Amino acid sequence: MGSTGFPGGAMARRPLHFIWIVDCSRSMMGKKIQSLNAAIQQAIPEMRTAARSNPGVEVLVRAVAFSSGARWHIAEPTPLEDLDWPEVNADGHTDMGRALQLVAEALHALPGHGLPPVLVLVTDGQPTDNFKEGLDALRAEKWGEKAVRVSIAIGDDADRNVLRKFIGNAAVEPLDAFSSGALVELIRWVSTVVLGQAAGDLKLPEKTLAPPPATSMETADDDVWRAS
Amino acid sequence: MTPPDPTWRVVTSSVRGRSHALHDRPNQDAFGAIQTAAGDLPVIAAVADGHGDALYFRSGVGAELAVSAALEALQQVVASGSRAPDARIARAVVGAWRRKVSAHMASVPFKEDEIRRALAQTRGPPADFSDDPFLAYGSTVVAAILTAPWSYYFQVGDGDILVVDPSGRTSRQFPPAEDYDGDATLSLCLPNAELGAQTRWLDHTACPTPEMILLCTDGYAKSFKSEADFLQLGPDYVALFQRLGVEGVAQELPRYLSYATENGSGDDITVAIVTRDPAKAPASASASASASGVNETEVRSRASGRAPGRASPRDGLDT
């Protein structure tokens, strides 16, 4: 008997790894990066609420920021109760492929069984490095292939074909954010609904996401990211 | 040293998962056992896990029918006295389940509001229950037969079977499913479910008779930090039976399982343990001879707490 006095060894909730992959390139400067920072920070309390619906699951959050190269913005898998979002700044290119390689390396280290991770890619542009190499590295990993992969396309210039390849599911389209209000709403949806579904007990093999919220372009914000 | 004619006992228990309690959902596991003559072999035990998602709106019933089907089909295996092909046994279990589900549907047809609620809460393309009514009853099943000369293990979907041998070594009968992760599983409700059945015969002339067999739904294994932590259940339960006795463990088992769901998976957890009784004297020859024919003690119980039929507390059967 272990130190708990109950049969069996150490117990633990099931980990669910949630990884933000965020574009910090030059074109994100200004209102886009401000909105992204605010949206993720605001979503944290709602993520905690969503996670409480599945008390047998421990959500662990990390983040990769990419511009010229890619780096871990939150490197350690962080429990939601400890999570804070340090703001990211924008400048440089859009090395999305390198970001996916970093994520692939992290997923390689995960144990063999568990809940599939959730990967959320947020970008307003096109990759400036070898995206295919990064995506291939990601999908060559068991957990990269099995991950719930979601993407948010900010504005008109985001390469939606690239994002569809990242998602890898013909039934799921990139989410479109053409305003700061829409970005906030989509970040909240990904953080809560997608997280809740990934943590939930859907038994048969096909995990299908609930439809995302409709985001209207008609907002009171003066920051509409769409060509007129 | 193994005593001659050891007494065999079955202990069962089931607890509702912490997550299910939070969402006011019932325990959708089921369990049951059949033992020929009190304390004697053969013993057949089964546990099942109804899928619980909105789409599987009768999966609690499906789990109960899965246990019933497994016990019925495996009882035929024992009665036949010879080893049947694994594929035939798998077809028998799945076929029995489908017949029982069909009978249940005939006696309790789907109501429109049942289907409407299920579709409203279900993600993905809508299911057509007129085409595939078995979906609503989706369940796994895990079962075992223990006789003196052999044992047999059977499984469709997730769940686990641990066997402890006389040396105290604990092993899984089947490896964890590699193709499904998270909570996804094979299911009795899927087409050709019998093709996904895992089976194993153990000839006790070639390997020792198990000291203990533990069947459990997947909520138990998912509560542990590692595989080694889960396998520790084997020696720990053997020690508990020696220290507390069968009745003592039966009394404590709900508390053990509740601790696991509170601190681990949050899922429903159900176990059926077949064990040598370390305390009971061997059954006397005169007691066996006095039975007129086979005296079967049969317990089929759903974890919802519905009263079992013909339960015999003397055999350590717990609900």
Side-chain angles (χ1 to χ4, degrees):
Chain A
M1 299 273 278
S3 57
T4 61
F6 290 87
M11 290 190 177
R13 293 180 293 159
R14 290 175 291 166
L16 190 159
H17 291 268
F18 188 104
I19 304 179
W20 293 105
I21 311 169
V22 296
D23 184 343
C24 298
S25 61
R26 177 177 287 269
S27 58
M28 287 285 290
M29 278 176 136
K31 193 68 175 178
K32 288 179 187 175
I33 206 73
Q34 288 170 17
S35 299
L36 178 70
N37 282 322
I40 295 179
Q41 184 63 42
Q42 287 167 24
I44 292 173
E46 295 190 53
M47 291 180 81
R48 292 179 181 136
T49 301
R52 278 196 284 273
S53 293
N54 293 283
V57 174
E58 182 178 30
V59 178
L60 299 168
V61 180
R62 282 182 273 189
V64 169
F66 62 93
S67 52
S68 298
R71 61 178 177 82
W72 283 102
H73 180 60
I74 299 176
E76 291 301 315
T78 306
L80 283 172
E81 53 267 29
D82 300 331
L83 183 65
D84 192 29
W85 178 257
E87 290 193 348
V88 287
N89 298 313
D91 199 359
H93 302 303
T94 311
D95 289 349
M96 197 184 296
R98 180 61 192 137
L100 299 187
Q101 283 183 327
L102 277 188
V103 174
E105 288 164 15
L107 297 183
H108 184 76
L110 294 184
H113 289 87
L115 291 164
V118 177
L119 308 179
V120 183
L121 174 57
V122 185
T123 183
D124 77 334
Q126 305 177 12
T128 51
D129 64 349
N130 193 331
F131 170 77
K132 183 180 183 304
E133 193 173 279
L135 183 62
D136 287 346
L138 181 69
R139 297 191 68 167
E141 294 297 329
K142 168 188 165 176
W143 286 124
E145 182 60 26
K146 289 178 180 286
V148 176
R149 298 189 297 274
V150 182
S151 70
I152 300 175
I154 299 176
D156 266 337
D157 292 335
D159 189 332
R160 282 155 176 81
N161 285 331
V162 157
L163 296 181
R164 288 186 190 98
K165 288 176 184 168
F166 168 77
I167 294 168
N169 181 345
V172 179
E173 282 288 299
L175 304 168
D176 290 323
F178 291 111
S179 68
S180 61
L183 178 60
V184 167
E185 198 170 336
L186 289 173
I187 293 280
R188 179 156 37 92
W189 180 78
V190 167
S191 305
T192 55
V193 174
V194 173
L195 174 62
Q197 288 184 219
D201 56 355
L202 182 62
K203 283 292 187 175
L204 287 190
E206 302 155 14
K207 277 189 185 295
T208 307
L209 296 179
T215 52
S216 170
M217 287 173 48
E218 303 297 325
T219 71
D221 299 326
D222 60 356
D223 51 335
V224 176
W225 305 316
R226 190 173 183 110
S228 57
Chain B
M1 182 179 171
T2 304
D5 300 318
T7 300
W8 291 92
R9 305 285 296 274
V10 183
V11 174
T12 55
S13 187
S14 183
V15 298
R16 182 167 68 156
R18 184 178 165 205
S19 291
H20 290 199
L22 193 66
H23 297 285
D24 197 25
R25 281 161 48 185
N27 184 339
Q28 298 195 318
D29 284 0
F31 55 91
I34 295 177
Q35 186 166 20
T36 302
D40 205 353
L41 296 179
V43 173
I44 309 170
V47 301
D49 180 358
H51 298 332
D53 193 72
L55 190 62
Y56 317 105
F57 54 90
R58 289 189 179 182
S59 58
V61 174
E64 186 178 3
L65 298 178
V67 166
S68 176
L71 294 177
E72 180 182 294
L74 296 186
Q75 202 171 10
Q76 294 302 311
V77 173
V78 173
S80 74
S82 62
R83 178 172 174 165
D86 291 329
R88 186 189 302 168
I89 298 173
R91 283 196 300 272
V93 172
V94 175
W97 182 78
R98 291 176 85 92
R99 281 192 301 277
K100 289 174 186 292
V101 167
S102 297
H104 187 269
M105 276 191 290
S107 65
V108 188
F110 288 157
K111 298 186 184 61
E112 273 189 33
D113 62 341
E114 270 184 301
I115 296 179
R116 194 172 35 244
R117 269 199 309 272
L119 295 178
Q121 295 171 47
T122 299
R123 304 177 278 275
D128 186 346
F129 291 102
S130 59
D131 252 359
D132 191 6
F134 298 99
L135 205 61
Y137 292 79
S139 176
T140 66
V141 69
V142 178
I145 306 171
L146 180 62
T147 76
W150 52 266
S151 50
Y152 180 72
Y153 308 90
F154 178 91
Q155 183 165 339
V156 172
D158 57 31
D160 301 282
I161 304 177
L162 298 184
V163 169
V164 182
D165 70 19
S167 73
R169 181 174 157 271
T170 300
S171 60
R172 276 181 179 273
Q173 286 310 291
F174 305 120
E178 286 293 331
D179 292 336
Y180 295 94
D181 293 288
D183 293 312
T185 181
L186 284 170
S187 171
L188 288 168
C189 70
L190 292 177
N192 302 314
E194 62 273 14
L195 298 180
Q198 298 183 85
T199 61
R200 173 174 288 174
W201 290 87
L202 286 183
D203 180 346
H204 297 162
T205 62
C207 66
T209 304
E211 290 295 298
M212 189 183 83
I213 300 170
L214 185 149
L215 312 180
C216 59
T217 54
D218 70 332
Y220 212 3
K222 286 178 178 169
S223 295
F224 291 96
K225 198 171 180 181
S226 71
E227 175 74 356
D229 291 311
F230 173 58
L231 292 178
Q232 186 62 34
L233 285 177
D236 283 356
Y237 272 111
V238 168
L240 281 168
F241 281 117
Q242 287 170 349
R243 184 159 61 88
L244 303 180
V246 173
E247 280 75 17
V249 172
Q251 200 167 0
E252 290 294 302
L253 197 49
R255 193 171 66 87
Y256 299 155
L257 304 188
S258 294
Y259 180 83
T261 187
E262 288 289 323
N263 293 277
S265 67
D267 200 358
D268 300 335
I269 299 178
T270 298
V271 301
I273 307 175
V274 180
T275 181
R276 293 184 195 272
D277 186 340
K280 280 282 183 70
S284 65
S286 59
S288 299
S290 67
S292 54
V294 170
N295 176 22
E296 289 191 356
T297 301
E298 176 182 307
V299 173
R300 295 176 186 187
S301 175
R302 185 168 165 200
S304 63
R306 190 156 63 199
R310 295 182 285 154
S312 171
R314 199 164 53 85
D315 292 328
L317 294 164
D318 191 8
T319 59

